[in-house]
Amino acid sequence: MHDQVAHGGSFMKTNNKMIKRLQNKSNNMKKFPYAFTSLLIASLIASPINANESSKHRSGKHSSKQMMNFGPGEHYQHDMDINISEFKKVKDISKKAFDLPDPLDRKQSKTVTVELEAVEVISKIAPNILYHYWTFNETVPGPFLRVREGDTVELSLHNDHKSSHSHAIDLHAVTGPGGGKAVTEVEPGETKTLKFKATTPGLYVYHCAAGNPATHIANGMYGMILVEPKQGMAEVDHEFYIMQGELYTKGRLGKKGFQKFNARKMIDERPEYIVFNGRTGALVGDGQLDAKVGDKIRLFIGNAGVAKISSFHIIGEIFDRVYPEASLSSVNKNVQTTLVPAGGASMVEFKVDYPGNYVLVDHALARIDRGAWGILNVSGAKNDSLYSGSANKAHSDKKQHEGH
């Protein structure tokens, strides 16, 4: 795959062929699924009191089993048998990239109420491949939270009564023990509330931190919270929400049927799938990003991990502004690829100047075969002075003759 193929002209045809090839491979699941991954692990901070999880496995009823959070040990061989008929079926696990709150339009701080629910569901990683996802509000990633610097946030976390485990939340925007985990760990059917002050502007990851946090994150319990600065943010035409994540399935890449989580692969850092927004193909077709020539775009990019660093890139575009590691106090200009660490985020802004399909990737390009790609579709008039191309007619005629 070459960066030049994401624009118009004859190269545009090449790009469309590439996209069709990826989609065909994805549908057949012979080599890889398609999607775009946003990676996000989290700080493995547990309660300052203890480091145990009451790990409840459902087999008709809950039964308790202790599992340590940190350090090597047999708990990484944790295996779980579930009856998938006991869990809610969700048709599409992916959070749409365009499904996020509008920029805040206020000058005063206020108290913001947030309600999250830990829900375990059955949904598709790819066609004919089912997985037991652990979620915030039934999507991966969870809701995009948006508050203002100085706001007081009252966040309630409820754990669905059918959950197989206790759950909790650690928000990287929180200053306090466990980022909130110490006061939010909830058993199935339980609700707890965290109150915190949003003191520092920036884009932050949040994730489950109960039990072994890596397991909860790898199963889908992550999202992002934006703390807007008091002066607000520059106006753009579109904002999109993207998170890269990893799935550690027992079956190999493309194996059909229900796939269990594999703890051994997680500790060995060998994900079968690396995806954007929860599944393969989440940022393609109905989930693709759409814009028009001349639009200014802002991407909120997170990486859930739990193992890989993301090298985020858009084939055929240059980022006008990058806020490295999502710090709003510094900016880099004219950037081709930006690193997004596990448990971290980045914010990029750019203007689109030419129509066509632009491919979003983790530029560790082997990960495309595991699902890490998506589409930004730009419509509008071409600008030949910016970009053009034509086929060599003699060469084209020769190729056509050879085909007969």
Side-chain angles (χ1 to χ4, degrees), residues 88-123:
K88 183 175 181 178
K89 311 303 185 294
V90 172
K91 184 177 180 180
D92 186 358
I93 196 67
S94 66
K95 186 72 171 177
K96 299 300 184 187
F98 44 78
D99 183 10
L100 71 171
D102 292 333
L104 301 177
D105 184 21
R106 55 184 169 87
K107 301 299 182 183
Q108 296 80 30
S109 299
K110 61 180 286 188
T111 297
V112 178
T113 301
V114 175
E115 295 183 355
L116 295 178
E117 183 177 20
V119 188
E120 299 177 21
V121 303
I122 305 298
S123 194

Side-chain angles (χ1 to χ4, degrees), residues 1 71 77 131 145 155-156 212 234 245 321 358 367:
M1 183 185 301
Q77 295 304 316
Y131 190 74
L145 309 181
L155 186 152
S156 293
N212 177 264
R321 298 166 67 87
Y358 295 79
R367 296 175 186 174

Side-chain angles (χ1 to χ4, degrees), residues 123-166:
S123 194
K124 294 178 183 178
I125 296 175
N128 301 311
I129 302 175
L130 295 176
Y131 190 74
H132 179 210
Y133 285 93
W134 304 356
T135 76
F136 289 107
N137 293 25
E138 301 183 13
T139 64
V140 178
F144 188 90
L145 309 181
R146 195 164 199 154
V147 300
R148 179 180 180 273
E149 179 186 2
D151 281 352
T152 297
V153 181
E154 293 183 354
L155 186 152
S156 293
L157 177 64
H158 175 73
N159 191 0
D160 180 64
H161 72 281
K162 290 186 176 181
S163 290
S164 62
H165 285 67
S166 60

Side-chain angles (χ1 to χ4, degrees), residues 184-204:
T184 60
E185 184 153 5
V186 282
E187 298 293 336
E190 195 175 18
T191 302
K192 291 184 180 178
T193 300
L194 162 70
K195 185 176 180 179
F196 70 93
K197 191 92 163 180
T199 60
T200 309
L203 178 65
Y204 301 93

Side-chain angles (χ1 to χ4, degrees), residues 5 7-19 387 391:
V5 303
H7 288 288
S10 62
F11 292 111
M12 187 61 215
K13 295 178 181 178
T14 304
N15 189 54
N16 288 336
K17 288 179 181 178
M18 177 191 70
I19 292 168
Y387 182 93

Side-chain angles (χ1 to χ4, degrees), residues 38-320:
S38 359
L39 222 59
L40 254 225
I41 176 175
S43 54
L44 302 180
I45 298 178
S47 164
I49 300 172
N50 65 70
N52 291 332
E53 173 187 24
S54 177
S55 208
K56 300 191 181 214
H57 309 284
R58 288 184 61 84
S59 56
K61 62 180 180 178
H62 293 292
S63 59
S64 294
K65 180 180 179 182
Q66 294 297 316
M67 186 170 74
M68 298 296 295
N69 308 35
F70 301 118
E74 291 302 314
H75 65 285
Y76 282 106
Q77 295 304 316
H78 172 62
D79 197 8
M80 181 178 169
D81 290 316
I82 68 163
N83 181 350
I84 65 173
S85 67
E86 295 182 0
F87 294 91
K88 183 175 181 178
K89 311 303 185 294
V90 172
K91 184 177 180 180
D92 186 358
I93 196 67
S94 66
K95 186 72 171 177
K96 299 300 184 187
F98 44 78
D99 183 10
L100 71 171
D102 292 333
L104 301 177
D105 184 21
R106 55 184 169 87
K107 301 299 182 183
Q108 296 80 30
S109 299
K110 61 180 286 188
T111 297
V112 178
T113 301
V114 175
E115 295 183 355
L116 295 178
E117 183 177 20
V119 188
E120 299 177 21
V121 303
I122 305 298
S123 194
K124 294 178 183 178
I125 296 175
N128 301 311
I129 302 175
L130 295 176
Y131 190 74
H132 179 210
Y133 285 93
W134 304 356
T135 76
F136 289 107
N137 293 25
E138 301 183 13
T139 64
V140 178
F144 188 90
L145 309 181
R146 195 164 199 154
V147 300
R148 179 180 180 273
E149 179 186 2
D151 281 352
T152 297
V153 181
E154 293 183 354
L155 186 152
S156 293
L157 177 64
H158 175 73
N159 191 0
D160 180 64
H161 72 281
K162 290 186 176 181
S163 290
S164 62
H165 285 67
S166 60
H167 294 298
I169 191 165
D170 169 2
L171 303 101
H172 293 188
V174 171
T175 299
K181 188 272 179 187
V183 296
T184 60
E185 184 153 5
V186 282
E187 298 293 336
E190 195 175 18
T191 302
K192 291 184 180 178
T193 300
L194 162 70
K195 185 176 180 179
F196 70 93
K197 191 92 163 180
T199 60
T200 309
L203 178 65
Y204 301 93
V205 168
Y206 68 80
H207 59 86
C208 186
N212 177 264
T215 299
H216 290 247
I217 297 165
N219 282 326
M221 297 194 76
Y222 52 83
M224 286 200 289
I225 177 171
L226 174 67
V227 181
E228 289 194 11
K230 291 181 178 179
Q231 69 271 23
M233 302 178 68
E235 185 176 347
V236 295
D237 296 295
H238 301 285
E239 294 182 330
F240 297 104
Y241 173 31
I242 299 167
M243 286 197 75
Q244 185 167 320
E246 303 157 15
L247 291 162
Y248 297 85
T249 58
K250 183 176 182 179
R252 295 292 299 273
L253 184 69
K255 179 72 174 176
K256 301 292 196 302
F258 176 71
Q259 294 301 314
K260 295 169 59 176
F261 168 75
N262 187 285
R264 183 75 258 172
K265 289 182 181 178
M266 185 185 71
I267 194 172
D268 290 343
E269 301 185 1
R270 295 186 293 110
E272 292 293 338
Y273 300 88
I274 301 176
V275 297
F276 294 125
N277 288 28
R279 65 167 175 86
T280 67
L283 303 185
V284 177
D286 291 343
Q288 73 181 17
L289 287 58
D290 291 312
K292 296 180 181 179
V293 169
D295 283 349
K296 294 181 180 179
I297 293 174
R298 176 180 294 133
L299 302 182
F300 300 113
I301 307 158
N303 180 4
V306 293
K308 308 300 182 183
I309 293 172
S310 178
S311 302
F312 187 77
H313 176 80
I314 299 181
I315 299 175
E317 262 300 343
I318 299 167
F319 302 135
D320 298 330

